Amino acid sequence: MAGFDVVPEPLRDGGNRLAEAGNRFADAVETFEATLAGYGAPWGSGDLASLIGPAYQQAADYIIGCLYVAADELALGGDDLVDMADAYQAVEDEVGRMFTSISRQLG
């Protein structure tokens, strides 16, 4: 493919940074979740509160779950980039060894 050039080290660095961003995001979600839990039930008690509380909890659980999935996907994407960089490097190393071997055989 013309014009296609992969440099493994920047790809690996980017993958590591993306994975770290996913981990930091997961930490932020955990802090957010703890903060929400710390508020308790600010809607109080009574008939209306008995309707609001469960609906709020379901929505909050769903959103927190989605945020954790997003954090995991960021981290996994970073890991995939690191794996891709390793694979490219392995191919480059093998091609180099093959050319060295051919060069030695040709004299």
Side-chain angles (χ1 to χ4, degrees):
M1 181 184 301
F4 187 77
D5 187 30
V6 175
V7 181
E9 196 55 38
L11 185 60
R12 185 176 294 105
D13 290 343
N16 286 328
R17 287 193 307 271
L18 185 59
E20 180 56 34
N23 293 333
R24 286 193 318 269
F25 185 54
D27 291 344
V29 172
E30 187 175 338
T31 300
F32 177 66
E33 185 177 22
T35 300
L36 285 180
Y39 292 140
W43 44 82
S45 60
D47 291 339
L48 185 57
S50 69
L51 297 174
I52 292 173
Y56 164 82
Q57 194 60 53
Q58 283 187 336
D61 290 347
Y62 178 78
I63 291 167
I64 295 295
C66 289
L67 292 174
Y68 277 121
V69 167
D72 288 344
E73 289 299 318
L74 283 172
L76 290 172
D79 292 342
D80 288 346
L81 288 174
V82 170
D83 291 345
M84 185 184 297
D86 292 344
Y88 277 114
Q89 188 64 56
V91 168
E92 289 289 324
D93 293 346
E94 182 60 25
V95 168
R97 283 190 292 275
M98 289 171 63
F99 276 114
T100 299
S101 175
I102 292 169
S103 175
R104 286 183 183 146
Q105 290 175 8
L106 293 175

